[in-house]
Amino acid sequence: FLGVPFTGLIIYSMMTGEITKTESPTIAEKDALLKRGGDVTEQSPMRLRMEKFIKQHQKQIVAGLEKVDGQKFQVDTWQRPEGGGGITCVLQDGNVFEKAGVNTSVVYGRLPRAAIQKMRVNHKALDPDVESVEFFAAGLSMVLHPSNPMAPTVHLNYRYFETADENGKTNAWWYGGGCDLTPCYLFDEDAIHFHKTIKAACDKHDKSYYPRFKKWCDEYFNNKHRGESRGIGGIFFDDLDETEKDQEQLFAFAQDCLSAFLPSYVPIINRRKNMPFTEREKQWQQIRRGRYVEFNLVHDRGTAFGLNTPGSRVESILMSLPLTARWQYMHSPEKGSREERLLEVLKKPKEWV
Amino acid sequence: FLGVPFTGLIIYSMMTGEITKTESPTIAEKDALLKRGGDVTEQSPMRLRMEKFIKQHQKQIVAGLEKVDGQKFQVDTWQRPEGGGGITCVLQDGNVFEKAGVNTSVVYGRLPRAAIQKMRVNHKALDPDVESVEFFAAGLSMVLHPSNPMAPTVHLNYRYFETADENGKTNAWWYGGGCDLTPCYLFDEDAIHFHKTIKAACDKHDKSYYPRFKKWCDEYFNNKHRGESRGIGGIFFDDLDETEKDQEQLFAFAQDCLSAFLPSYVPIINRRKNMPFTEREKQWQQIRRGRYVEFNLVHDRGTAFGLNTPGSRVESILMSLPLTARWQYMHSPEKGSREERLLEVLKKPKEWV
């Protein structure tokens, strides 16, 4: 990111041939300058603190997963021409993971009027009378699809969003994210362990968080067209801003959630990764992966936002899709089977703790 | 469909306890009565003529494809509780087709105000001042995914739509549809044969149709997020109403397009179905199928409309998806390979005739 010049400060007008100086630097320019100046501390803007934090955690998680799998992730670092960039780590055809992606991205850009109108529903600080505002977004997102049908897929995403006024001062800001588990075969002890670990992280901050965000997760990760949940849930939240808690408290909450990931998932994957399975069980996993694809491509707002953003890195967005999937017409599990039990739980989400 | 009583004629009000008689029967009721009265002729409403026509063609196409494959289709007949129904024919794990679906559906229902507003852009006959209008839709849609990676996937859809005023009189009406080919390996002779056959059907009606509808097809079946077409095109059109040609002429056009299907595709599938192929070529097919899923779930308006329609038959809508698909991170074909040549054509659609 070093070496980004103050491109926004001097605007050459194609229309008039004039060169204009704008009043103040963009947040992208401010941040580039700050980064050249030295380390990110607690006094730095939240943008830089969030970026530092997700990159640190990306390294820890990748290292933790490499220990589980025995193979190394492929690391791709990329830049957005419009500002920002990211690091995409993917492990494909591993010993444990058929496909695992851990991605961080940092985006600087401008939101058009239509997008501001939509976001104002939740963030009244946004000025409805401007044509566009500068924004910043940083997040870590991750999807792990293990090969073994007894081992569950897991998804995680934590993100920070902020807009700036014309003077580069923070205007609206909020946190969003969550983590959820998608098994093909249900092991109650896994579901309980996963939810318990997340609940403990939530409870440290607010006893109301886990029940509220667990419900939000069940509602969000739902394949409405099939009337079934994508998986057995976890937590999901969005638009957490100053009306919820102050910025430091919410940042601490996001940090604790992210730190809870490895303890919530590693014991599960280690229990399941070498379990025996049949060809029929592998087929069921493939069908469930088809449902995963359906949710991500039809319902997921993040995927839709990414695919509709010009210049987005499609391979980083769609790393969430499984390596393989299957759509079998009118497939229906046998009465009394484990497959049928999963469907029952997906149709009527359970309380696990 | 026989035996549907005049349910709409007598409305029992939950609010007042009163029983009201509405002025006139719905088109669903009129059609049910007409069907009981005898055969569909050229004097029957277009709704019944279209329904009869697509069902006849469904039988012919299914018979033609069973001859190609050697296996029989599974036939499911279903009813919509709200009015109408359909016939879904699927052949899965056949000798030639990994998954083939040929579906007819007939829908009677009411369009809410928001949908009317959208449709008014193209159909000024629609009354903007009513809360809802009765509508009818009938169509045949088909997707064939052959097992052999040398054999192309093909998609076809022809449909008729109409709305009725409060007296059950036809208000707006239009035809839509098209047919397009999606090869994993490009054989120019196949592309030329396919486009030539469709062009001949178009030319019988209007010399401007093929070039207009070929361009429309290239624009519509595009995975915008990847900047590549789904396949090598064919034709696509929508909203063809009285501003284009009269109803008889457009019905004749839709009939000729549908009749051109077997001659456009059967010679191709027979040439390719038994060609030798490698494991690497099969993998490429799986990756291309992933792109097919992306188009259908992210961009296709028909799929989105279907999945968002309450009470729709999801298995009939998603029969368009391949049996198996693959998403491989950062896959890129070798320089100078056949896979690379396909991508070049998908990035820049060709004229084939």
Side-chain angles (χ1 to χ4, degrees):
Chain A
F1 213 83
L2 293 173
V4 174
F6 277 25
T7 47
L9 265 182
I10 294 173
I11 294 169
Y12 174 81
S13 169
M14 298 278 287
M15 303 289 284
T16 62
E18 275 177 294
I19 289 170
T20 330
K21 275 205 178 259
T22 57
E23 308 81 45
S24 54
T26 64
I27 49 175
E29 290 157 359
K30 283 189 179 180
D31 288 354
L33 192 66
L34 284 168
K35 281 186 192 175
R36 253 181 284 182
D39 283 350
V40 173
T41 68
E42 284 185 17
Q43 277 66 50
S44 304
M46 184 53 76
R47 297 184 300 276
L48 300 185
R49 293 169 68 193
M50 184 70 180
E51 181 179 351
K52 182 184 172 187
F53 156 66
I54 58 176
K55 285 184 176 167
Q56 274 174 349
H57 269 269
Q58 183 178 33
K59 277 191 190 149
Q60 284 172 24
I61 289 171
V62 163
L65 296 175
E66 285 177 345
K67 244 175 83 184
V68 168
D69 193 276
Q71 281 196 41
K72 293 281 175 198
F73 276 75
Q74 169 188 343
V75 180
D76 291 321
T77 304
W78 45 276
Q79 302 261 313
R80 282 185 83 238
E82 302 86 356
I87 303 170
T88 299
C89 303
V90 173
L91 198 169
Q92 207 164 253
D93 279 321
N95 300 312
V96 173
F97 297 108
E98 192 170 280
K99 194 165 162 195
V102 186
N103 189 54
T104 53
S105 65
V106 172
V107 176
Y108 291 89
R110 292 197 75 85
L111 280 179
R113 200 186 177 94
I116 301 169
Q117 302 292 348
K118 269 194 191 168
M119 287 176 173
R120 270 209 90 230
V121 177
N122 292 303
H123 306 284
K124 297 302 175 206
L126 286 167
D127 185 346
D129 294 324
V130 292
E131 271 315 302
S132 68
V133 292
E134 198 187 354
F135 79 94
F136 166 89
L140 186 157
S141 55
M142 171 168 75
V143 181
L144 313 178
H145 295 288
S147 309
N148 193 308
M150 301 301 152
T153 286
V154 70
H155 160 253
L156 171 149
N157 170 259
Y158 290 103
R159 57 192 178 270
Y160 172 73
F161 197 95
E162 114 175 17
T163 64
D165 64 18
E166 283 313 296
N167 302 313
K169 240 191 113 233
T170 302
N171 187 6
W173 59 265
W174 64 90
Y175 291 87
C179 185
D180 64 285
L181 201 68
T182 305
C184 302
Y185 287 94
L186 192 52
F187 294 89
D188 286 19
E189 58 172 325
D190 294 355
I192 293 165
H193 169 79
F194 185 76
H195 277 268
K196 256 193 185 158
T197 313
I198 293 174
K199 182 177 184 293
C202 290
D203 284 354
K204 268 180 68 180
H205 297 267
D206 193 318
K207 291 273 180 197
S208 80
Y209 277 178
Y210 175 76
R212 271 170 68 199
F213 301 157
K214 193 266 185 197
K215 187 162 174 271
W216 201 341
C217 185
D218 286 336
E219 284 162 3
Y220 182 77
F221 292 102
N222 190 287
N223 262 328
K224 288 157 206 78
H225 60 284
R226 297 201 181 259
E228 66 184 39
S229 291
R230 183 172 77 173
I232 56 131
I235 56 166
F236 178 81
F237 56 87
D238 204 357
D239 300 307
L240 296 195
D241 60 13
E242 71 282 351
T243 63
E244 179 71 43
K245 278 205 166 59
D246 75 33
Q247 202 177 42
E248 286 303 324
Q249 286 175 307
L250 289 172
F251 184 44
F253 172 56
Q255 286 176 296
D256 279 333
C257 283
L258 192 42
S259 303
F261 171 69
L262 286 175
S264 74
Y265 185 69
V266 169
I268 297 173
I269 186 71
N270 281 337
R271 268 203 293 269
R272 304 302 163 209
K273 65 184 184 183
N274 295 318
M275 280 185 79
F277 61 86
T278 66
E279 188 49 41
R280 203 182 53 79
E281 289 163 338
K282 187 72 189 169
Q283 290 274 41
W284 172 246
Q285 178 199 49
Q286 294 298 299
I287 290 168
R288 296 313 306 166
R289 292 209 165 149
R291 303 290 203 270
Y292 207 87
V293 173
E294 287 176 28
F295 179 83
N296 287 20
L297 296 185
V298 176
H299 299 293
D300 186 51
R301 287 196 296 254
T303 304
F305 177 80
L307 294 182
N308 290 315
T309 301
S312 63
R313 190 171 189 264
V314 174
E315 288 293 324
S316 294
I317 298 165
L318 297 185
M319 74 173 197
S320 65
L321 301 181
L323 190 61
T324 54
R326 184 177 178 91
W327 283 270
Q328 196 164 323
Y329 178 67
M330 296 292 274
H331 183 274
S332 169
E334 274 173 49
K335 281 259 165 275
S337 63
R338 291 186 65 190
E339 292 82 2
E340 192 192 43
R341 184 180 170 228
L342 178 75
L343 288 189
E344 278 162 19
V345 171
L346 297 183
K347 280 183 204 306
K348 208 167 165 286
K350 271 186 74 158
E351 295 303 322
W352 295 103
V353 281
Chain B
F1 215 85
L2 293 173
V4 174
F6 278 26
T7 46
L9 265 182
I10 293 170
I11 295 169
Y12 174 80
S13 168
M14 296 280 286
M15 302 289 285
T16 63
E18 274 177 295
I19 288 170
T20 329
K21 274 206 178 257
T22 57
E23 308 81 43
S24 55
T26 64
I27 50 174
E29 291 158 358
K30 282 188 179 180
D31 288 354
L33 193 65
L34 283 169
K35 282 185 190 175
R36 253 181 285 182
D39 284 348
V40 174
T41 69
E42 286 184 16
Q43 277 66 52
S44 302
M46 183 53 74
R47 298 184 298 277
L48 300 184
R49 292 169 68 194
M50 184 70 181
E51 179 179 353
K52 182 183 171 187
F53 156 66
I54 58 176
K55 285 185 177 166
Q56 274 175 348
H57 269 270
Q58 182 179 33
K59 278 191 188 148
Q60 283 173 24
I61 288 171
V62 163
L65 296 175
E66 285 178 343
K67 244 174 84 183
V68 168
D69 193 278
Q71 282 196 39
K72 293 280 175 199
F73 277 74
Q74 168 185 346
V75 179
D76 291 320
T77 303
W78 45 277
Q79 303 260 314
R80 283 185 82 241
E82 302 85 356
I87 304 170
T88 299
C89 303
V90 172
L91 198 170
Q92 207 163 254
D93 279 321
N95 300 312
V96 172
F97 296 107
E98 192 168 282
K99 193 164 162 196
V102 187
N103 189 54
T104 53
S105 65
V106 172
V107 176
Y108 291 89
R110 292 197 75 86
L111 279 178
R113 201 186 176 93
I116 301 170
Q117 302 292 350
K118 267 193 193 169
M119 287 177 173
R120 269 209 90 229
V121 177
N122 293 302
H123 306 285
K124 297 301 172 202
L126 287 167
D127 186 346
D129 296 324
V130 293
E131 271 315 302
S132 67
V133 292
E134 197 186 356
F135 79 93
F136 167 88
L140 186 157
S141 54
M142 170 168 75
V143 180
L144 313 177
H145 295 288
S147 308
N148 193 307
M150 301 300 150
T153 286
V154 69
H155 160 254
L156 171 148
N157 170 257
Y158 290 103
R159 56 191 180 271
Y160 172 73
F161 197 95
E162 117 177 11
T163 65
D165 64 18
E166 283 312 298
N167 301 313
K169 239 191 115 234
T170 303
N171 187 5
W173 58 264
W174 63 91
Y175 292 88
C179 185
D180 64 284
L181 201 68
T182 305
C184 302
Y185 287 94
L186 191 53
F187 293 89
D188 285 20
E189 60 173 324
D190 294 355
I192 293 165
H193 170 80
F194 185 76
H195 276 268
K196 257 192 183 158
T197 313
I198 293 174
K199 182 176 183 296
C202 290
D203 285 354
K204 271 178 68 180
H205 296 268
D206 193 317
K207 291 277 181 192
S208 80
Y209 277 0
Y210 174 76
R212 272 169 68 199
F213 301 157
K214 192 268 184 195
K215 187 161 173 274
W216 201 342
C217 185
D218 287 335
E219 284 162 4
Y220 182 77
F221 291 102
N222 190 288
N223 261 328
K224 286 157 207 74
H225 60 284
R226 294 199 183 260
E228 65 183 40
S229 291
R230 183 174 79 174
I232 56 132
I235 55 168
F236 178 81
F237 56 87
D238 204 357
D239 300 308
L240 296 195
D241 61 11
E242 71 284 350
T243 62
E244 179 73 41
K245 279 206 165 57
D246 76 33
Q247 202 179 42
E248 286 304 323
Q249 287 175 306
L250 289 173
F251 185 43
F253 171 57
Q255 286 177 294
D256 280 334
C257 283
L258 193 43
S259 303
F261 171 70
L262 286 174
S264 74
Y265 185 69
V266 170
I268 296 173
I269 185 72
N270 281 336
R271 267 203 294 271
R272 306 299 163 211
K273 66 183 184 186
N274 295 319
M275 280 183 80
F277 61 86
T278 65
E279 189 49 43
R280 203 182 53 81
E281 288 162 340
K282 187 74 188 169
Q283 289 274 41
W284 173 246
Q285 178 200 49
Q286 295 298 299
I287 290 168
R288 297 312 306 166
R289 291 206 166 151
R291 303 292 202 269
Y292 207 88
V293 172
E294 287 176 28
F295 180 82
N296 287 19
L297 296 185
V298 176
H299 299 293
D300 187 51
R301 289 195 294 255
T303 304
F305 178 81
L307 295 182
N308 288 316
T309 300
S312 63
R313 189 172 191 266
V314 174
E315 287 293 325
S316 294
I317 298 165
L318 297 186
M319 75 173 195
S320 66
L321 301 182
L323 189 60
T324 53
R326 182 176 179 90
W327 282 270
Q328 197 164 323
Y329 177 68
M330 295 292 275
H331 183 274
S332 167
E334 275 173 49
K335 280 261 166 271
S337 65
R338 292 186 66 190
E339 292 81 1
E340 192 192 42
R341 189 187 164 223
L342 176 76
L343 287 189
E344 279 162 18
V345 171
L346 297 182
K347 279 183 204 305
K348 206 168 166 287
K350 270 185 75 158
E351 295 304 321
W352 295 101
V353 282

